[in-house]
Amino acid sequence: MLIWSFVFIIFLVMMFSEFSAYYDNPEMGEILDLIPEGFLEAFGMAGANLTTINGFLSVMVLYVHLMVGVYGILLGSNIIGKEERDKTAEFLMIKPVTREKIIITKIVSAIISSLLMIFVIGMTLFAALQPYHPTMDNYRFIGIILGGNLFVMWIYLFAGLLIASVLKRFKKIGGISIAAVLITYLLSVIATLSDSVEFLKYVSPFSYFEGHQLYQDMGYEPGALLFTSLVILIASTGIFLVYPRRDLRL
Amino acid sequence: MNKRRDGKMTVFLFELKTYRWSLLWWAVGIIALQFIMMIFYPSMAQDAETIDLIIKHYPEELLRAFGMSEQASLATVFGYYTFIFTFAQLLLSIQSAYYGFNFLSTEESNYTADFLYTKPLNRSRIIVEKQFAILCILVITAMVTALSGLSAIELFRDGRPYEAGNYWVLMGTIPVFQVFFFSIGMVVSACTKKLKSVIGFALGVAFFFYIINGMRGIIGGDLLGYLTPYYHFEVAYILEEGMIPWNRGMISIFVILLCHGMTYFYYPRKNLPTV
């Protein structure tokens, strides 16, 4: 947890060090002014204007999603898998606590960690933005991004929990988690390539809260929220069905 | 049977055997990735050609502001393959980092260290043999990547031309790229007490460098680039120029040497944790 937040902070600070090269660069600003708004819109580039704070943030969103996605799935699969890996499962299960209670506590603690992580990211963004005199509008956008991050993290968190509950052998959990993140990330990138494969967007959580779309609507797509809650709901039902009946490998 | 036991390479052979399934799955993943992505190429190339025509009329600064200046055209074979290969690199880096973090810590977490170190082999010897085994696995993976990439290109390129020589130069850089990630993992696994979440570390390291490279591609800046091996062996550059940017590549090689030096120095002196 500590290491991860540290990495996140370094990472965001580094990105912002590059931002200074773009911010308010008059040369680029002039050229941008010359081009009619509608024209940019037609090519879907309106959101990616790197000279404004919001535009820059919207480009970064995918990468932050990727980081929190990896973090989420590892958090989820680890919190269950580690009991058997570290051979503490035996000890835990003989305690006078029901399995349901164990899993609820585990989920709650995972959710708290994810909220903390979002808090760290938010504070870092906030601090990194200070030199650029952010406005209310920027803060609102940061809030929206963080919300998106949180949802992405939760999707992967619950996916990780589900993977770890369903699989019998803890050694396989890691491999499947890696595959899940990589495949969904790949799909989200392919989806942006061409309109003919746009349906892939619905398969990959990374595309649910795209930076560009967040920037334009200043809010979430209802479909994305629906999918998120659906995924979390299905996954948690699965966890509660499987985990209490699970055989332990000791 | 006895004859083989007497041979000197017991650890080496054992390690090769341990990794064969893992190797198989990674190979399948990389082959599938390259073929599946190449399937999209013919239709993508047509779209991209029209987009290229439009983009040509934009001023350079504008493209830069939108972070598009470094994006090669998706219409050419190499432009599109650059895009695929970056993913292949991501897979390769996760694989290598995973092996690296597992390298010495697996003996401790599986409680096989006590057994291994009672054998009449000194520790450096064990490291060398284990390393050769991993190197073999990595080189096989690299070859699989190269051959499957080539056949995927040949299959779907629709008669569009490409420079085969440059392709092989690029493939030649894969082992260095792999060993970079492996070395980072290895030095950590040699120097830490007990490494628990191997996969967590491997994914963290691999994605960290990958994301830095992604950001560099969008917002530019050499400083970010020097940090990441993706830039040391920049795919687009190699495919275009047909040579390796050695001044950047040296950074990778330096990191590799440093990690190896630290491992060989530290590991033979390490105290094993008791069970």
PDB file of all heavy atoms in Angstrom, chain A residues 80 103 107 157-163 165-166 232 234-244:
ATOM      1  N   ILE A  80      -7.583 -12.491  -0.644  1.00  0.00           N
ATOM      2  CA  ILE A  80      -8.081 -13.842  -0.400  1.00  0.00           C
ATOM      3  C   ILE A  80      -6.972 -14.874  -0.585  1.00  0.00           C
ATOM      4  O   ILE A  80      -6.779 -15.763   0.229  1.00  0.00           O
ATOM      5  CB  ILE A  80      -9.259 -14.166  -1.341  1.00  0.00           C
ATOM      6  CG1 ILE A  80     -10.455 -13.317  -0.944  1.00  0.00           C
ATOM      7  CG2 ILE A  80      -9.613 -15.644  -1.268  1.00  0.00           C
ATOM      8  CD1 ILE A  80     -11.672 -13.573  -1.763  1.00  0.00           C
ATOM      9  N   ILE A 103     -15.357 -12.752   4.871  1.00  0.00           N
ATOM     10  CA  ILE A 103     -15.289 -12.167   3.532  1.00  0.00           C
ATOM     11  C   ILE A 103     -15.805 -10.727   3.542  1.00  0.00           C
ATOM     12  O   ILE A 103     -15.264  -9.855   2.873  1.00  0.00           O
ATOM     13  CB  ILE A 103     -16.025 -13.059   2.496  1.00  0.00           C
ATOM     14  CG1 ILE A 103     -15.751 -12.573   1.065  1.00  0.00           C
ATOM     15  CG2 ILE A 103     -17.486 -13.109   2.703  1.00  0.00           C
ATOM     16  CD1 ILE A 103     -14.405 -12.935   0.588  1.00  0.00           C
ATOM     17  N   ILE A 107     -13.704  -7.545   2.305  1.00  0.00           N
ATOM     18  CA  ILE A 107     -14.151  -6.616   1.269  1.00  0.00           C
ATOM     19  C   ILE A 107     -14.149  -5.186   1.794  1.00  0.00           C
ATOM     20  O   ILE A 107     -13.690  -4.256   1.120  1.00  0.00           O
ATOM     21  CB  ILE A 107     -15.557  -7.014   0.759  1.00  0.00           C
ATOM     22  CG1 ILE A 107     -15.474  -8.329  -0.005  1.00  0.00           C
ATOM     23  CG2 ILE A 107     -16.113  -5.937  -0.149  1.00  0.00           C
ATOM     24  CD1 ILE A 107     -16.801  -8.833  -0.509  1.00  0.00           C
ATOM     25  N   LEU A 157     -11.210  -4.712  -8.530  1.00  0.00           N
ATOM     26  CA  LEU A 157     -11.122  -5.257  -7.177  1.00  0.00           C
ATOM     27  C   LEU A 157     -12.063  -6.450  -7.023  1.00  0.00           C
ATOM     28  O   LEU A 157     -11.662  -7.529  -6.567  1.00  0.00           O
ATOM     29  CB  LEU A 157     -11.486  -4.162  -6.169  1.00  0.00           C
ATOM     30  CG  LEU A 157     -11.639  -4.578  -4.723  1.00  0.00           C
ATOM     31  CD1 LEU A 157     -10.286  -4.930  -4.149  1.00  0.00           C
ATOM     32  CD2 LEU A 157     -12.251  -3.450  -3.921  1.00  0.00           C
ATOM     33  N   PHE A 158     -13.311  -6.270  -7.444  1.00  0.00           N
ATOM     34  CA  PHE A 158     -14.271  -7.358  -7.296  1.00  0.00           C
ATOM     35  C   PHE A 158     -13.946  -8.509  -8.235  1.00  0.00           C
ATOM     36  O   PHE A 158     -14.140  -9.676  -7.885  1.00  0.00           O
ATOM     37  CB  PHE A 158     -15.700  -6.843  -7.510  1.00  0.00           C
ATOM     38  CG  PHE A 158     -16.251  -6.195  -6.276  1.00  0.00           C
ATOM     39  CD1 PHE A 158     -16.099  -4.832  -6.060  1.00  0.00           C
ATOM     40  CD2 PHE A 158     -16.871  -6.952  -5.299  1.00  0.00           C
ATOM     41  CE1 PHE A 158     -16.571  -4.237  -4.903  1.00  0.00           C
ATOM     42  CE2 PHE A 158     -17.350  -6.362  -4.141  1.00  0.00           C
ATOM     43  CZ  PHE A 158     -17.206  -4.997  -3.947  1.00  0.00           C
ATOM     44  N   ALA A 159     -13.443  -8.165  -9.419  1.00  0.00           N
ATOM     45  CA  ALA A 159     -13.017  -9.242 -10.316  1.00  0.00           C
ATOM     46  C   ALA A 159     -11.923 -10.065  -9.649  1.00  0.00           C
ATOM     47  O   ALA A 159     -11.946 -11.297  -9.674  1.00  0.00           O
ATOM     48  CB  ALA A 159     -12.514  -8.662 -11.632  1.00  0.00           C
ATOM     49  N   GLY A 160     -10.981  -9.379  -9.016  1.00  0.00           N
ATOM     50  CA  GLY A 160      -9.889 -10.079  -8.337  1.00  0.00           C
ATOM     51  C   GLY A 160     -10.405 -10.950  -7.212  1.00  0.00           C
ATOM     52  O   GLY A 160      -9.993 -12.104  -7.053  1.00  0.00           O
ATOM     53  N   LEU A 161     -11.328 -10.414  -6.426  1.00  0.00           N
ATOM     54  CA  LEU A 161     -11.900 -11.193  -5.334  1.00  0.00           C
ATOM     55  C   LEU A 161     -12.584 -12.444  -5.863  1.00  0.00           C
ATOM     56  O   LEU A 161     -12.441 -13.537  -5.319  1.00  0.00           O
ATOM     57  CB  LEU A 161     -12.927 -10.344  -4.568  1.00  0.00           C
ATOM     58  CG  LEU A 161     -12.401  -9.235  -3.663  1.00  0.00           C
ATOM     59  CD1 LEU A 161     -13.519  -8.302  -3.266  1.00  0.00           C
ATOM     60  CD2 LEU A 161     -11.754  -9.821  -2.437  1.00  0.00           C
ATOM     61  N   LEU A 162     -13.319 -12.255  -6.974  1.00  0.00           N
ATOM     62  CA  LEU A 162     -14.042 -13.387  -7.542  1.00  0.00           C
ATOM     63  C   LEU A 162     -13.072 -14.446  -8.061  1.00  0.00           C
ATOM     64  O   LEU A 162     -13.234 -15.642  -7.781  1.00  0.00           O
ATOM     65  CB  LEU A 162     -14.943 -12.900  -8.685  1.00  0.00           C
ATOM     66  CG  LEU A 162     -15.856 -13.949  -9.285  1.00  0.00           C
ATOM     67  CD1 LEU A 162     -16.871 -14.424  -8.267  1.00  0.00           C
ATOM     68  CD2 LEU A 162     -16.568 -13.416 -10.512  1.00  0.00           C
ATOM     69  N   ILE A 163     -12.052 -13.983  -8.790  1.00  0.00           N
ATOM     70  CA  ILE A 163     -11.059 -14.926  -9.323  1.00  0.00           C
ATOM     71  C   ILE A 163     -10.447 -15.739  -8.188  1.00  0.00           C
ATOM     72  O   ILE A 163     -10.351 -16.961  -8.245  1.00  0.00           O
ATOM     73  CB  ILE A 163      -9.949 -14.172 -10.078  1.00  0.00           C
ATOM     74  CG1 ILE A 163     -10.497 -13.570 -11.360  1.00  0.00           C
ATOM     75  CG2 ILE A 163      -8.788 -15.107 -10.412  1.00  0.00           C
ATOM     76  CD1 ILE A 163      -9.525 -12.652 -12.050  1.00  0.00           C
ATOM     77  N   SER A 165     -11.650 -16.357  -5.258  1.00  0.00           N
ATOM     78  CA  SER A 165     -12.563 -17.279  -4.566  1.00  0.00           C
ATOM     79  C   SER A 165     -12.852 -18.505  -5.400  1.00  0.00           C
ATOM     80  O   SER A 165     -13.012 -19.591  -4.871  1.00  0.00           O
ATOM     81  CB  SER A 165     -13.908 -16.625  -4.241  1.00  0.00           C
ATOM     82  OG  SER A 165     -13.798 -15.294  -3.999  1.00  0.00           O
ATOM     83  N   VAL A 166     -12.936 -18.305  -6.709  1.00  0.00           N
ATOM     84  CA  VAL A 166     -13.362 -19.416  -7.560  1.00  0.00           C
ATOM     85  C   VAL A 166     -12.237 -20.420  -7.781  1.00  0.00           C
ATOM     86  O   VAL A 166     -12.457 -21.622  -7.747  1.00  0.00           O
ATOM     87  CB  VAL A 166     -13.878 -18.882  -8.913  1.00  0.00           C
ATOM     88  CG1 VAL A 166     -14.108 -20.025  -9.873  1.00  0.00           C
ATOM     89  CG2 VAL A 166     -15.153 -18.101  -8.716  1.00  0.00           C
ATOM     90  N   ILE A 232     -20.067  -5.299 -10.431  1.00  0.00           N
ATOM     91  CA  ILE A 232     -19.812  -5.434  -9.000  1.00  0.00           C
ATOM     92  C   ILE A 232     -20.858  -6.335  -8.355  1.00  0.00           C
ATOM     93  O   ILE A 232     -20.546  -7.197  -7.530  1.00  0.00           O
ATOM     94  CB  ILE A 232     -19.785  -4.044  -8.332  1.00  0.00           C
ATOM     95  CG1 ILE A 232     -18.575  -3.260  -8.853  1.00  0.00           C
ATOM     96  CG2 ILE A 232     -19.714  -4.170  -6.815  1.00  0.00           C
ATOM     97  CD1 ILE A 232     -18.458  -1.878  -8.316  1.00  0.00           C
ATOM     98  N   ILE A 234     -22.745  -8.731  -9.774  1.00  0.00           N
ATOM     99  CA  ILE A 234     -22.571 -10.134 -10.157  1.00  0.00           C
ATOM    100  C   ILE A 234     -21.383 -10.741  -9.430  1.00  0.00           C
ATOM    101  O   ILE A 234     -21.464 -11.832  -8.865  1.00  0.00           O
ATOM    102  CB  ILE A 234     -22.367 -10.262 -11.680  1.00  0.00           C
ATOM    103  CG1 ILE A 234     -23.658  -9.875 -12.399  1.00  0.00           C
ATOM    104  CG2 ILE A 234     -21.970 -11.673 -12.060  1.00  0.00           C
ATOM    105  CD1 ILE A 234     -23.531  -9.800 -13.896  1.00  0.00           C
ATOM    106  N   ALA A 235     -20.278  -9.969  -9.416  1.00  0.00           N
ATOM    107  CA  ALA A 235     -19.073 -10.497  -8.779  1.00  0.00           C
ATOM    108  C   ALA A 235     -19.318 -10.752  -7.301  1.00  0.00           C
ATOM    109  O   ALA A 235     -18.942 -11.804  -6.774  1.00  0.00           O
ATOM    110  CB  ALA A 235     -17.908  -9.535  -8.963  1.00  0.00           C
ATOM    111  N   SER A 236     -19.999  -9.827  -6.624  1.00  0.00           N
ATOM    112  CA  SER A 236     -20.150 -10.041  -5.185  1.00  0.00           C
ATOM    113  C   SER A 236     -21.115 -11.192  -4.902  1.00  0.00           C
ATOM    114  O   SER A 236     -20.916 -11.943  -3.945  1.00  0.00           O
ATOM    115  CB  SER A 236     -20.566  -8.760  -4.466  1.00  0.00           C
ATOM    116  OG  SER A 236     -21.494  -8.054  -5.217  1.00  0.00           O
ATOM    117  N   THR A 237     -22.142 -11.344  -5.751  1.00  0.00           N
ATOM    118  CA  THR A 237     -22.995 -12.522  -5.573  1.00  0.00           C
ATOM    119  C   THR A 237     -22.169 -13.784  -5.702  1.00  0.00           C
ATOM    120  O   THR A 237     -22.283 -14.713  -4.897  1.00  0.00           O
ATOM    121  CB  THR A 237     -24.110 -12.577  -6.644  1.00  0.00           C
ATOM    122  OG1 THR A 237     -24.449 -11.259  -7.020  1.00  0.00           O
ATOM    123  CG2 THR A 237     -25.322 -13.301  -6.152  1.00  0.00           C
ATOM    124  N   GLY A 238     -21.331 -13.784  -6.738  1.00  0.00           N
ATOM    125  CA  GLY A 238     -20.473 -14.938  -6.959  1.00  0.00           C
ATOM    126  C   GLY A 238     -19.592 -15.225  -5.762  1.00  0.00           C
ATOM    127  O   GLY A 238     -19.473 -16.360  -5.307  1.00  0.00           O
ATOM    128  N   ILE A 239     -18.995 -14.156  -5.221  1.00  0.00           N
ATOM    129  CA  ILE A 239     -18.101 -14.338  -4.085  1.00  0.00           C
ATOM    130  C   ILE A 239     -18.852 -14.931  -2.908  1.00  0.00           C
ATOM    131  O   ILE A 239     -18.400 -15.880  -2.270  1.00  0.00           O
ATOM    132  CB  ILE A 239     -17.478 -12.986  -3.678  1.00  0.00           C
ATOM    133  CG1 ILE A 239     -16.593 -12.456  -4.802  1.00  0.00           C
ATOM    134  CG2 ILE A 239     -16.656 -13.133  -2.404  1.00  0.00           C
ATOM    135  CD1 ILE A 239     -16.288 -10.995  -4.685  1.00  0.00           C
ATOM    136  N   PHE A 240     -20.033 -14.384  -2.622  1.00  0.00           N
ATOM    137  CA  PHE A 240     -20.774 -14.864  -1.451  1.00  0.00           C
ATOM    138  C   PHE A 240     -21.314 -16.271  -1.643  1.00  0.00           C
ATOM    139  O   PHE A 240     -21.553 -16.994  -0.691  1.00  0.00           O
ATOM    140  CB  PHE A 240     -21.907 -13.899  -1.096  1.00  0.00           C
ATOM    141  CG  PHE A 240     -21.404 -12.713  -0.339  1.00  0.00           C
ATOM    142  CD1 PHE A 240     -21.289 -11.484  -0.947  1.00  0.00           C
ATOM    143  CD2 PHE A 240     -21.000 -12.852   0.980  1.00  0.00           C
ATOM    144  CE1 PHE A 240     -20.786 -10.400  -0.258  1.00  0.00           C
ATOM    145  CE2 PHE A 240     -20.498 -11.771   1.684  1.00  0.00           C
ATOM    146  CZ  PHE A 240     -20.395 -10.540   1.066  1.00  0.00           C
ATOM    147  N   LEU A 241     -21.514 -16.660  -2.914  1.00  0.00           N
ATOM    148  CA  LEU A 241     -21.946 -18.035  -3.156  1.00  0.00           C
ATOM    149  C   LEU A 241     -20.786 -19.000  -3.016  1.00  0.00           C
ATOM    150  O   LEU A 241     -20.927 -20.087  -2.460  1.00  0.00           O
ATOM    151  CB  LEU A 241     -22.540 -18.155  -4.569  1.00  0.00           C
ATOM    152  CG  LEU A 241     -23.966 -17.655  -4.734  1.00  0.00           C
ATOM    153  CD1 LEU A 241     -24.401 -17.808  -6.186  1.00  0.00           C
ATOM    154  CD2 LEU A 241     -24.906 -18.423  -3.823  1.00  0.00           C
ATOM    155  N   VAL A 242     -19.624 -18.595  -3.547  1.00  0.00           N
ATOM    156  CA  VAL A 242     -18.521 -19.540  -3.652  1.00  0.00           C
ATOM    157  C   VAL A 242     -17.675 -19.601  -2.387  1.00  0.00           C
ATOM    158  O   VAL A 242     -17.367 -20.677  -1.893  1.00  0.00           O
ATOM    159  CB  VAL A 242     -17.620 -19.189  -4.859  1.00  0.00           C
ATOM    160  CG1 VAL A 242     -16.406 -20.088  -4.889  1.00  0.00           C
ATOM    161  CG2 VAL A 242     -18.406 -19.306  -6.148  1.00  0.00           C
ATOM    162  N   TYR A 243     -17.326 -18.455  -1.871  1.00  0.00           N
ATOM    163  CA  TYR A 243     -16.324 -18.440  -0.804  1.00  0.00           C
ATOM    164  C   TYR A 243     -16.706 -19.247   0.431  1.00  0.00           C
ATOM    165  O   TYR A 243     -15.882 -20.011   0.941  1.00  0.00           O
ATOM    166  CB  TYR A 243     -15.966 -16.997  -0.428  1.00  0.00           C
ATOM    167  CG  TYR A 243     -14.756 -16.924   0.469  1.00  0.00           C
ATOM    168  CD1 TYR A 243     -13.482 -17.105  -0.041  1.00  0.00           C
ATOM    169  CD2 TYR A 243     -14.893 -16.706   1.828  1.00  0.00           C
ATOM    170  CE1 TYR A 243     -12.375 -17.060   0.767  1.00  0.00           C
ATOM    171  CE2 TYR A 243     -13.776 -16.662   2.657  1.00  0.00           C
ATOM    172  CZ  TYR A 243     -12.527 -16.843   2.114  1.00  0.00           C
ATOM    173  OH  TYR A 243     -11.434 -16.797   2.918  1.00  0.00           O
ATOM    174  N   PRO A 244     -17.936 -19.124   0.941  1.00  0.00           N
ATOM    175  CA  PRO A 244     -18.271 -19.896   2.138  1.00  0.00           C
ATOM    176  C   PRO A 244     -18.232 -21.405   1.933  1.00  0.00           C
ATOM    177  O   PRO A 244     -18.120 -22.166   2.878  1.00  0.00           O
ATOM    178  CB  PRO A 244     -19.691 -19.432   2.474  1.00  0.00           C
ATOM    179  CG  PRO A 244     -19.814 -18.106   1.848  1.00  0.00           C
ATOM    180  CD  PRO A 244     -19.017 -18.187   0.596  1.00  0.00           C
TER     181      PRO A 244
END
